[in-house]
Amino acid sequence: MKQQLLFDFKKISYDRMYLGLFLLILFIFLSPVIDFRKIDTQASKLIEISDQIVQTREGIEQMKEFDVPLAIKDEEERLALLEAFYAALSSKQSEEITKTELAYEKKILEQIESGSLSGTPLIEQRKTVAKLEHLVANNLIATVNFDSSVPAINFISNDFQLLIPFTMILIFPVLIFSRIHTDEKVHGTRDFVNMTPISFEKMILSKLVVSVLFAFLYFIFSVGLAIFILSFRNGIGSLNYPIPISKDGLTVSILTTGQFLSQVSILLVAIYTFISSLSILISRFTHSFLVQTVVLLMVIMLPSSPLFTAESAIANIAHFLPFSYFDLSKVLTYGDSFSPSINEYINFTNGLICLMSYAVLCLLVSWLMIKKKGRV
């Protein structure tokens, strides 16, 4: 088994196609950080808050014409908190900046809950407050989402949540799995493989382990290199940085960046295992690299279709389907008010169970077909 693993791994390592794929995924992760200009995020934020102060003052003046003292008092309190936030940001006192922003956002939450202010969904404002509370409690500095200024670990976390669609990440292993599971036909070695003394089970297991490991190592190396480059520019960042999530759309809890990235890695391995197992099964019906690639690409694009939305006909059973777990950001953060998860049962634990169950099922069917035919 060990020799078979080494053989399959060397076969991939020497293939130029995989080198090209590696460079492609490396570019995907590094392209947002190629621009080395520094953006003055503080100046941008000051301009934004200054505009808000002007608008709030104008709103208060308009209220005075209608003689609504309670509403005026409420807005004046919000204005005072906004001005305190502006003063802290101007003085560059990092601890005071987060504290004054928290006080201001709490006031916004209070107004939304009372119905005197509208615009931001209630749950999204609760997330904002929960995030700032975590930052204050742990003496962390808030980051602004500009690619050229976000610390390394936080940048990668933002990538997975906002910037890089997971279909782009999954295209890479799809090509690897399609190639390795049709490799014998491509190189004309299928008859030789069928005559080797190694059992078919070990051959299939070797291909599965090597392909998943190879794809995951390329992924980890690409992410690691992006973190390495960014750490010199903007610092490493914090694994304790908060990601606010809401499982029920009412209450908010905190998922740390460290927890988020570790769960992303684990689920990616499960997804890779499922796709590779599915590739093995498809190879029982076709030995064409092109056909297998097209089928797998259609599979990973399924979650982007209207079929996999909270309003779809399959929403209630979506957690039983492995495709529902391809968008890891939604799986781990449960989406948001504007783009919610398909249903409340789509989470990390269920994803792990579902993906691995389907992977085992694909391998079992493939094994039965190989046993029946007596050849790979």
Side-chain angles (χ1 to χ4, degrees), residues 123-182:
I123 189 61
E124 297 306 316
Q125 187 60 28
R126 285 176 177 170
K127 287 181 180 180
T128 298
V129 170
K131 177 180 178 179
L132 289 168
E133 285 178 337
H134 183 91
L135 291 173
V136 170
N138 293 276
N139 296 315
L140 298 171
I141 299 173
T143 64
V144 182
N145 291 330
F146 284 111
D147 297 341
S148 65
S149 62
V150 178
I153 291 173
N154 304 97
F155 171 81
I156 294 298
S157 175
N158 287 341
D159 261 7
F160 291 143
Q161 294 175 70
L162 304 170
L163 301 178
I164 299 179
F166 272 91
T167 49
M168 289 179 66
I169 297 176
L170 295 181
I171 287 172
F172 175 67
V174 158
L175 293 171
I176 289 181
F177 302 150
S178 297
R179 180 65 173 269
I180 195 172
H181 298 316
T182 57

Side-chain angles (χ1 to χ4, degrees), residues 335-348:
D336 52 38
S337 298
F338 310 100
S339 181
S341 182
I342 306 173
N343 70 45
E344 60 184 311
Y345 302 108
I346 295 178
N347 53 45
F348 173 75

